[in-house]
Amino acid sequence: MTGEVLAGRYRLERELGRGGMATVFLATDLRLSRPVALKRMHPGGGAGRAERFRREAELAASLHHPNVLEVHDYGEDAAHGPFLVCEWVRGEDLRALAEKLSPVPPEAVLVLGWELARALAAAHARGIVHRDVKPDNVLVAEGGPLKLADFGLAALEDQERLTSTGAVTGSLAYMAPERIDTGAYSPASDVYAVGVILFELCAGTTPHAGKGAAHLVAAVMTKDAPPLTEVAPGTPEPLSALVAKCLARDARDRPRDGAELAAALEALLQREAGPPSDVTREFLRAPVARATHWRRLRFERLLEEGRGLLARGEGARAAKVLNAALTLEPTSAEVVALLRERPRRSGWRAGAVGAGLVLCATVGAVWWSQGTEDARTPRSTESPSGKSAATGERRPEPTIPASEPAAPGAGPDTRETTREPAPSHASEAPRTVEALPPAAPTTNGDAEKAVRPSPPIARPREPDSTKRAVSAAPTRPVTATEPPGATSAPAPDAPPARPALLKVTARPWAEVFVNGTSHGYTPRMREVSLPAGTYRLRFVNPLCDEVEQEVTLAPGETVSRDVVLSPRKAEVLIHAPAGARLFVDGREVGIAPLPGPVVVEHGRHTVTARRAGAPPLQREVDVVAGRRLEVALDVTP
């Protein structure tokens, strides 16, 4: 391969990388005597694939921005097929740089994110969606700037995967939910990918990293990304909030495009580090040294914060902050000493407080159980031997104040009234029997069982005096939902009604609402257990028309609902030279200028303008359901 010349102009020097569709070489442009990066497609695929590659190359070449990799040339070699020539960036990709900087300080994350968002802003302004934003496609030149590469080629790869295998593979971790679900592209899809990159730079892993492609797809479709402040302690809250917004499952909740994201990142960078342009220039001039400086500053701030939290006795928060500091300086003896000190101090305090709480709870429970048993059990149930007729256990003798000695022969009533002042109605029949359900008996001094309410129990046969004392009480315990003193007749025992089971499927995916409450997303959520009744169902997918249904469920019944949602139409507003005949996917739609937009299906379409005596103007566009896209065909894209 080395020394081979393509199209009589580009001499291959060495291989830089190899992918599924193309191999990248460092080459020399013999005509201009400069190094270039040459991307040569692998043989095979047919003429249609080569034509699509050419069109995408033209699209990428139309972008001119400091943060976008420059496309110099496109050509076809008789022996090896199509190739694309780009500027050669002497540096490394973002993944390799992140490994050098790990752990990446938030200031560096903001700088890299801002540069990347600016590149996307330039692309989105021209209606171009990158479709494969990932660290491998982001190049960082020595001394700067950052360059976004691989416009067009990645789109071709994804299209082929979708049509040939029916599944999306490759850059799955960076794909937005709508791409995985329907293949839809929009600027917000690129914003989602940037959110994944920012998360990965901060945390060292992607938001939904898991156990394979199926697990990843289910997580992306049904779960929100975890907050960065929890996964990577020490991350500034505003940065965590912005990343969470970029990773919203609904595209409408994300920043609209690269320009909006760049503005948000610029504001954060100004707040955290200083003037964005100056900070970016200094960082890219010496990324490792600058990142080390930022890490040291942040380490000192976290260490000081941790000391303050320990001094205030906030051990849990202090541990979180100090562990964040330890990720920045793993060998810091000072942080290790503080972390070792915290468990002993907090453990002794927690043990002392816990022992005190247990002691108080035990004493209180014993007192409460004695008091409530005295109140709940009629006095006539106590036998002369001092044993309770209800439990057969000996009751403790009440304490008699010395100032009021018990009269000879005084019964239980006299002893009880000397324990504490009796209310004015002390002579009345005990009313606590009908106001409270019976308590479980206390055995072996178990205070915990005494405080736990338990179901009513069957009492043993009691003396006649007890029966007379309880005769005014209802024959069943009063439940928590009934007012005290309720005397309605007990309902006959009946088995509880079995819940109904609602099984739902939706194509494509949908969020399922039952009576206005979300029950999750299909396909992860398939069954809902509900009480019998009538319910209003709503199936929501932002790319489709909502579907509403009403369902009536009987006890124990299983009902299935299979819903097919209709994708919303998209609109294409075509701008072309006056008098040109306009076509969408080969179908003529009118003469320019059109009175309004053309309604099309969600997905990819080819828009063409034909004029007599002039070459046709053509563009391929991706439209999103429910949205309008403007396409300019006044010049060749």
Side-chain angles (χ1 to χ4, degrees):
M1 262 336 146
T2 302
E4 184 179 358
V5 178
L6 269 64
R9 177 174 178 178
Y10 302 103
R11 185 179 65 229
L12 304 183
E13 305 294 345
R14 59 185 171 90
E15 184 176 317
L16 298 176
R18 181 182 294 266
M21 276 195 59
T23 301
V24 182
F25 298 90
L26 173 62
T28 299
D29 184 345
L30 299 177
R31 186 178 301 172
L32 298 178
S33 300
R34 64 178 178 181
V36 294
L38 186 145
K39 225 178 254 189
R40 188 175 68 186
M41 288 186 62
H42 297 159
R49 179 177 175 184
E51 175 63 16
R52 290 179 59 84
F53 184 36
R54 184 191 67 79
R55 292 178 184 175
E56 296 291 352
E58 290 178 352
L59 187 65
S62 69
L63 284 171
H64 300 283
H65 189 273
N67 296 118
V68 174
L69 189 71
E70 186 85 16
V71 175
H72 295 324
D73 191 14
Y74 169 83
E76 293 190 27
D77 183 80
H80 298 286
F83 61 88
L84 184 67
V85 181
C86 307
E87 64 173 313
W88 179 51
V89 175
R90 186 187 298 272
E92 56 196 339
D93 64 35
L94 184 56
R95 193 178 300 282
L97 178 62
E99 291 177 0
K100 285 184 179 180
L101 303 182
S102 180
V104 185
E107 296 86 352
V109 174
L110 290 170
V111 167
L112 296 169
W114 183 51
E115 289 272 284
L116 179 54
R118 292 170 67 197
L120 288 174
H124 295 165
R126 290 187 56 84
I128 300 171
V129 179
H130 187 282
R131 310 171 184 93
D132 196 32
V133 179
K134 58 183 178 181
D136 314 76
N137 289 338
V138 179
L139 307 177
V140 183
E142 294 178 359
L146 175 148
K147 298 275 188 178
L148 179 58
D150 281 348
F151 279 87
L153 183 61
L156 178 56
E157 287 182 317
D158 287 342
Q159 183 68 21
E160 289 188 343
R161 292 191 195 106
L162 285 168
T163 56
S164 63
T165 67
V168 181
T169 59
S171 313
L172 196 58
Y174 304 90
M175 288 186 183
E178 64 272 14
R179 287 201 59 199
I180 295 174
D181 182 45
T182 63
Y185 301 117
S186 73
S189 305
D190 285 345
V191 169
Y192 181 93
V194 176
V196 176
I197 291 176
L198 297 178
F199 190 102
E200 188 175 12
L201 288 173
C202 292
T205 181
T206 54
H208 299 290
K211 306 172 184 177
H215 180 276
L216 176 61
V217 168
V220 170
M221 298 294 294
T222 62
K223 295 181 180 178
D224 293 329
L228 260 179
T229 49
E230 295 180 5
V231 179
T235 303
E237 178 61 40
L239 175 57
S240 177
L242 179 58
V243 171
K245 189 175 182 182
C246 292
L247 296 176
R249 287 179 301 195
D250 190 335
R252 294 170 295 184
D253 295 332
R254 303 176 205 143
R256 183 175 60 253
D257 53 22
E260 186 174 327
L261 177 59
L265 287 166
E266 183 176 359
L268 283 182
L269 187 55
Q270 175 77 39
R271 172 180 169 181
E272 293 289 329
S277 297
D278 296 341
V279 172
T280 300
R281 185 167 51 252
E282 292 176 6
F283 169 73
L284 293 176
R285 187 181 297 127
V288 176
R290 195 63 182 167
T292 302
H293 172 70
W294 281 330
R295 275 198 302 269
R296 185 62 195 176
L297 293 179
R298 185 164 295 275
F299 170 79
E300 292 172 356
R301 288 197 296 268
L302 290 171
L303 184 61
E304 188 64 29
E305 183 182 354
R307 284 200 199 99
L309 291 169
L310 281 177
R312 294 195 295 272
E314 301 182 43
R317 291 183 59 195
K320 186 175 181 180
V321 170
L322 291 173
N323 276 310
L326 200 60
T327 62
L328 301 175
E329 297 283 347
T331 59
S332 172
E334 188 173 5
V335 174
V336 172
L338 289 172
L339 285 170
R340 286 176 177 170
E341 175 187 0
R342 186 200 67 85
R344 289 200 301 271
R345 181 181 304 175
S346 62
W348 179 87
R349 289 181 178 176
V353 172
L357 290 174
V358 170
L359 181 59
C360 292
T362 304
V363 173
V366 171
W367 174 85
W368 186 90
S369 63
Q370 291 176 358
T372 53
E373 181 142 353
D374 289 344
R376 295 179 184 182
T377 307
R379 295 186 178 93
S380 55
T381 63
E382 185 174 350
S383 66
S385 63
K387 292 185 178 181
S388 169
T391 65
E393 296 179 353
R394 179 173 294 276
R395 298 176 56 192
E397 292 293 331
T399 304
I400 304 173
S403 57
E404 296 186 20
D413 290 347
T414 306
R415 291 199 303 272
E416 287 198 19
T417 54
T418 58
R419 286 172 63 179
E420 54 184 86
S424 58
H425 52 274
S427 60
E428 298 178 6
R431 293 185 296 171
T432 53
V433 176
E434 62 180 18
L436 294 172
T442 305
T443 59
N444 299 326
D446 192 345
E448 183 183 0
K449 293 181 180 178
V451 262
R452 292 182 181 173
S454 59
I457 59 174
R459 296 186 177 234
R461 187 175 181 86
E462 298 176 343
D464 293 341
S465 57
T466 303
K467 295 179 181 178
R468 287 194 298 270
V470 190
S471 59
T475 58
R476 63 185 179 92
V478 180
T479 63
T481 57
E482 294 175 324
T487 58
S488 58
D493 292 337
R498 289 188 301 157
L501 189 64
L502 175 64
K503 295 184 176 182
V504 295
T505 55
R507 291 168 291 164
W509 67 270
E511 185 175 8
V512 181
F513 291 84
V514 179
N515 285 354
T517 301
S518 174
H519 283 259
Y521 295 78
T522 62
R524 186 66 177 266
M525 189 283 302
R526 294 185 177 90
E527 298 179 353
V528 185
S529 181
L530 298 168
T534 300
Y535 297 91
R536 191 71 179 172
L537 309 180
R538 188 159 60 97
F539 300 84
V540 179
N541 182 318
L543 300 178
C544 303
D545 294 328
E546 292 185 7
V547 173
E548 291 191 5
Q549 293 184 355
E550 190 175 273
V551 60
T552 300
L553 306 176
E557 182 183 19
T558 298
V559 176
S560 298
R561 286 290 184 270
D562 185 7
V563 177
V564 178
L565 287 77
S566 300
R568 295 174 180 169
K569 300 293 185 180
E571 294 182 345
V572 179
L573 186 59
I574 306 173
H575 301 285
R581 298 170 61 197
L582 302 180
F583 298 82
V584 176
D585 298 330
R587 176 178 61 89
E588 186 168 0
V589 294
I591 306 296
L594 295 176
V598 179
V599 178
V600 296
E601 299 289 340
H602 170 88
R604 171 168 288 198
H605 300 275
T606 301
V607 182
T608 308
R610 299 184 182 276
R611 296 172 295 172
L617 306 175
Q618 191 172 74
R619 281 188 61 181
E620 285 194 357
V621 295
D622 293 300
V623 294
V624 179
R627 298 188 181 180
R628 174 181 293 186
L629 177 68
E630 296 191 21
V631 180
L633 295 175
D634 50 343
V635 293
T636 303

mmCIF file of all heavy atoms in Angstrom, residues 597-618:
data_model
loop_
_atom_site.group_PDB
_atom_site.id
_atom_site.type_symbol
_atom_site.label_atom_id
_atom_site.label_comp_id
_atom_site.label_asym_id
_atom_site.label_seq_id
_atom_site.Cartn_x
_atom_site.Cartn_y
_atom_site.Cartn_z
ATOM 1 N N PRO A 597 -45.489 24.774 1.684
ATOM 2 C CA PRO A 597 -44.626 23.599 1.862
ATOM 3 C C PRO A 597 -45.238 22.345 1.253
ATOM 4 O O PRO A 597 -46.445 22.251 1.037
ATOM 5 C CB PRO A 597 -44.522 23.483 3.385
ATOM 6 C CG PRO A 597 -45.773 24.101 3.901
ATOM 7 C CD PRO A 597 -46.104 25.210 2.962
ATOM 8 N N VAL A 598 -44.381 21.372 0.996
ATOM 9 C CA VAL A 598 -44.802 20.069 0.488
ATOM 10 C C VAL A 598 -44.900 19.119 1.676
ATOM 11 O O VAL A 598 -43.979 19.039 2.501
ATOM 12 C CB VAL A 598 -43.802 19.524 -0.548
ATOM 13 C CG1 VAL A 598 -44.234 18.155 -1.044
ATOM 14 C CG2 VAL A 598 -43.649 20.505 -1.704
ATOM 15 N N VAL A 599 -46.011 18.414 1.776
ATOM 16 C CA VAL A 599 -46.220 17.472 2.875
ATOM 17 C C VAL A 599 -45.620 16.119 2.484
ATOM 18 O O VAL A 599 -45.945 15.578 1.412
ATOM 19 C CB VAL A 599 -47.713 17.324 3.206
ATOM 20 C CG1 VAL A 599 -47.917 16.296 4.310
ATOM 21 C CG2 VAL A 599 -48.296 18.669 3.620
ATOM 22 N N VAL A 600 -44.751 15.591 3.350
ATOM 23 C CA VAL A 600 -44.078 14.325 3.062
ATOM 24 C C VAL A 600 -44.117 13.446 4.297
ATOM 25 O O VAL A 600 -44.463 13.895 5.393
ATOM 26 C CB VAL A 600 -42.611 14.558 2.627
ATOM 27 C CG1 VAL A 600 -42.545 15.335 1.334
ATOM 28 C CG2 VAL A 600 -41.828 15.263 3.735
ATOM 29 N N GLU A 601 -43.717 12.193 4.118
ATOM 30 C CA GLU A 601 -43.616 11.270 5.234
ATOM 31 C C GLU A 601 -42.338 11.546 6.029
ATOM 32 O O GLU A 601 -41.382 12.125 5.524
ATOM 33 C CB GLU A 601 -43.597 9.813 4.731
ATOM 34 C CG GLU A 601 -44.837 9.390 3.973
ATOM 35 C CD GLU A 601 -46.048 9.242 4.876
ATOM 36 O OE1 GLU A 601 -45.846 9.094 6.101
ATOM 37 O OE2 GLU A 601 -47.179 9.287 4.361
ATOM 38 N N HIS A 602 -42.341 11.098 7.275
ATOM 39 C CA HIS A 602 -41.152 11.200 8.113
ATOM 40 C C HIS A 602 -40.012 10.372 7.509
ATOM 41 O O HIS A 602 -40.215 9.255 7.061
ATOM 42 C CB HIS A 602 -41.475 10.683 9.516
ATOM 43 C CG HIS A 602 -40.287 10.507 10.404
ATOM 44 N ND1 HIS A 602 -39.798 11.518 11.179
ATOM 45 C CD2 HIS A 602 -39.487 9.438 10.621
ATOM 46 C CE1 HIS A 602 -38.748 11.075 11.853
ATOM 47 N NE2 HIS A 602 -38.554 9.815 11.532
ATOM 48 N N GLY A 603 -38.792 10.928 7.469
ATOM 49 C CA GLY A 603 -37.654 10.165 6.971
ATOM 50 C C GLY A 603 -36.836 10.942 5.967
ATOM 51 O O GLY A 603 -36.809 12.170 5.943
ATOM 52 N N ARG A 604 -36.130 10.208 5.100
ATOM 53 C CA ARG A 604 -35.207 10.803 4.127
ATOM 54 C C ARG A 604 -35.876 10.945 2.767
ATOM 55 O O ARG A 604 -36.580 10.031 2.315
ATOM 56 C CB ARG A 604 -33.948 9.945 4.023
ATOM 57 C CG ARG A 604 -33.017 10.345 2.891
ATOM 58 C CD ARG A 604 -31.670 9.673 3.007
ATOM 59 N NE ARG A 604 -30.902 10.249 4.100
ATOM 60 C CZ ARG A 604 -29.583 10.112 4.221
ATOM 61 N NH1 ARG A 604 -28.907 9.418 3.334
ATOM 62 N NH2 ARG A 604 -28.946 10.642 5.240
ATOM 63 N N HIS A 605 -35.622 12.100 2.116
ATOM 64 C CA HIS A 605 -36.207 12.377 0.801
ATOM 65 C C HIS A 605 -35.185 13.086 -0.079
ATOM 66 O O HIS A 605 -34.278 13.768 0.426
ATOM 67 C CB HIS A 605 -37.462 13.248 0.930
ATOM 68 C CG HIS A 605 -38.551 12.616 1.758
ATOM 69 N ND1 HIS A 605 -39.467 11.737 1.235
ATOM 70 C CD2 HIS A 605 -38.839 12.728 3.078
ATOM 71 C CE1 HIS A 605 -40.284 11.346 2.203
ATOM 72 N NE2 HIS A 605 -39.922 11.937 3.329
ATOM 73 N N THR A 606 -35.358 12.935 -1.370
ATOM 74 C CA THR A 606 -34.509 13.612 -2.349
ATOM 75 C C THR A 606 -35.309 14.722 -3.008
ATOM 76 O O THR A 606 -36.380 14.474 -3.579
ATOM 77 C CB THR A 606 -34.007 12.620 -3.419
ATOM 78 O OG1 THR A 606 -33.273 11.571 -2.774
ATOM 79 C CG2 THR A 606 -33.105 13.321 -4.410
ATOM 80 N N VAL A 607 -34.801 15.948 -2.905
ATOM 81 C CA VAL A 607 -35.466 17.124 -3.480
ATOM 82 C C VAL A 607 -34.645 17.582 -4.684
ATOM 83 O O VAL A 607 -33.419 17.779 -4.578
ATOM 84 C CB VAL A 607 -35.581 18.261 -2.437
ATOM 85 C CG1 VAL A 607 -36.309 19.454 -3.031
ATOM 86 C CG2 VAL A 607 -36.301 17.758 -1.190
ATOM 87 N N THR A 608 -35.310 17.784 -5.818
ATOM 88 C CA THR A 608 -34.622 18.124 -7.065
ATOM 89 C C THR A 608 -35.301 19.309 -7.734
ATOM 90 O O THR A 608 -36.535 19.422 -7.718
ATOM 91 C CB THR A 608 -34.633 16.920 -8.039
ATOM 92 O OG1 THR A 608 -34.136 15.764 -7.346
ATOM 93 C CG2 THR A 608 -33.766 17.188 -9.253
ATOM 94 N N ALA A 609 -34.482 20.192 -8.301
ATOM 95 C CA ALA A 609 -34.985 21.311 -9.118
ATOM 96 C C ALA A 609 -34.358 21.196 -10.506
ATOM 97 O O ALA A 609 -33.123 21.090 -10.630
ATOM 98 C CB ALA A 609 -34.634 22.645 -8.472
ATOM 99 N N ARG A 610 -35.188 21.227 -11.541
ATOM 100 C CA ARG A 610 -34.699 21.089 -12.922
ATOM 101 C C ARG A 610 -35.069 22.329 -13.722
ATOM 102 O O ARG A 610 -36.215 22.779 -13.695
ATOM 103 C CB ARG A 610 -35.295 19.841 -13.582
ATOM 104 C CG ARG A 610 -34.938 18.538 -12.873
ATOM 105 C CD ARG A 610 -35.490 17.345 -13.632
ATOM 106 N NE ARG A 610 -35.195 16.091 -12.951
ATOM 107 C CZ ARG A 610 -34.057 15.420 -13.079
ATOM 108 N NH1 ARG A 610 -33.110 15.893 -13.894
ATOM 109 N NH2 ARG A 610 -33.854 14.297 -12.420
ATOM 110 N N ARG A 611 -34.062 22.851 -14.427
ATOM 111 C CA ARG A 611 -34.271 23.999 -15.316
ATOM 112 C C ARG A 611 -33.752 23.646 -16.699
ATOM 113 O O ARG A 611 -32.767 22.912 -16.838
ATOM 114 C CB ARG A 611 -33.533 25.227 -14.797
ATOM 115 C CG ARG A 611 -34.025 25.752 -13.455
ATOM 116 C CD ARG A 611 -33.120 26.849 -12.936
ATOM 117 N NE ARG A 611 -31.771 26.307 -12.651
ATOM 118 C CZ ARG A 611 -30.722 27.070 -12.325
ATOM 119 N NH1 ARG A 611 -30.865 28.387 -12.279
ATOM 120 N NH2 ARG A 611 -29.545 26.515 -12.083
ATOM 121 N N ALA A 612 -34.400 24.195 -17.694
ATOM 122 C CA ALA A 612 -33.983 23.918 -19.071
ATOM 123 C C ALA A 612 -32.583 24.472 -19.296
ATOM 124 O O ALA A 612 -32.286 25.626 -18.961
ATOM 125 C CB ALA A 612 -34.976 24.549 -20.054
ATOM 126 N N GLY A 613 -31.719 23.636 -19.865
ATOM 127 C CA GLY A 613 -30.378 24.078 -20.194
ATOM 128 C C GLY A 613 -29.438 24.197 -19.020
ATOM 129 O O GLY A 613 -28.340 24.759 -19.163
ATOM 130 N N ALA A 614 -29.830 23.718 -17.838
ATOM 131 C CA ALA A 614 -28.972 23.813 -16.643
ATOM 132 C C ALA A 614 -28.950 22.460 -15.951
ATOM 133 O O ALA A 614 -29.916 21.698 -16.012
ATOM 134 C CB ALA A 614 -29.489 24.894 -15.694
ATOM 135 N N PRO A 615 -27.850 22.170 -15.282
ATOM 136 C CA PRO A 615 -27.801 20.887 -14.559
ATOM 137 C C PRO A 615 -28.800 20.892 -13.409
ATOM 138 O O PRO A 615 -29.094 21.949 -12.834
ATOM 139 C CB PRO A 615 -26.356 20.814 -14.048
ATOM 140 C CG PRO A 615 -25.883 22.228 -14.005
ATOM 141 C CD PRO A 615 -26.586 22.937 -15.134
ATOM 142 N N PRO A 616 -29.330 19.750 -13.067
ATOM 143 C CA PRO A 616 -30.308 19.713 -11.962
ATOM 144 C C PRO A 616 -29.651 20.046 -10.622
ATOM 145 O O PRO A 616 -28.473 19.760 -10.394
ATOM 146 C CB PRO A 616 -30.806 18.260 -11.989
ATOM 147 C CG PRO A 616 -29.720 17.487 -12.653
ATOM 148 C CD PRO A 616 -29.094 18.412 -13.643
ATOM 149 N N LEU A 617 -30.437 20.670 -9.780
ATOM 150 C CA LEU A 617 -30.021 20.957 -8.403
ATOM 151 C C LEU A 617 -30.706 19.940 -7.504
ATOM 152 O O LEU A 617 -31.922 19.774 -7.562
ATOM 153 C CB LEU A 617 -30.431 22.372 -8.001
ATOM 154 C CG LEU A 617 -29.952 23.500 -8.937
ATOM 155 C CD1 LEU A 617 -30.525 24.834 -8.487
ATOM 156 C CD2 LEU A 617 -28.436 23.550 -8.973
ATOM 157 N N GLN A 618 -29.928 19.284 -6.677
ATOM 158 C CA GLN A 618 -30.492 18.168 -5.906
ATOM 159 C C GLN A 618 -29.895 18.124 -4.503
ATOM 160 O O GLN A 618 -28.719 18.409 -4.307
ATOM 161 C CB GLN A 618 -30.216 16.853 -6.630
ATOM 162 C CG GLN A 618 -30.972 15.654 -6.076
ATOM 163 C CD GLN A 618 -30.793 14.441 -6.956
ATOM 164 O OE1 GLN A 618 -29.733 13.828 -6.961
ATOM 165 N NE2 GLN A 618 -31.822 14.104 -7.735
#
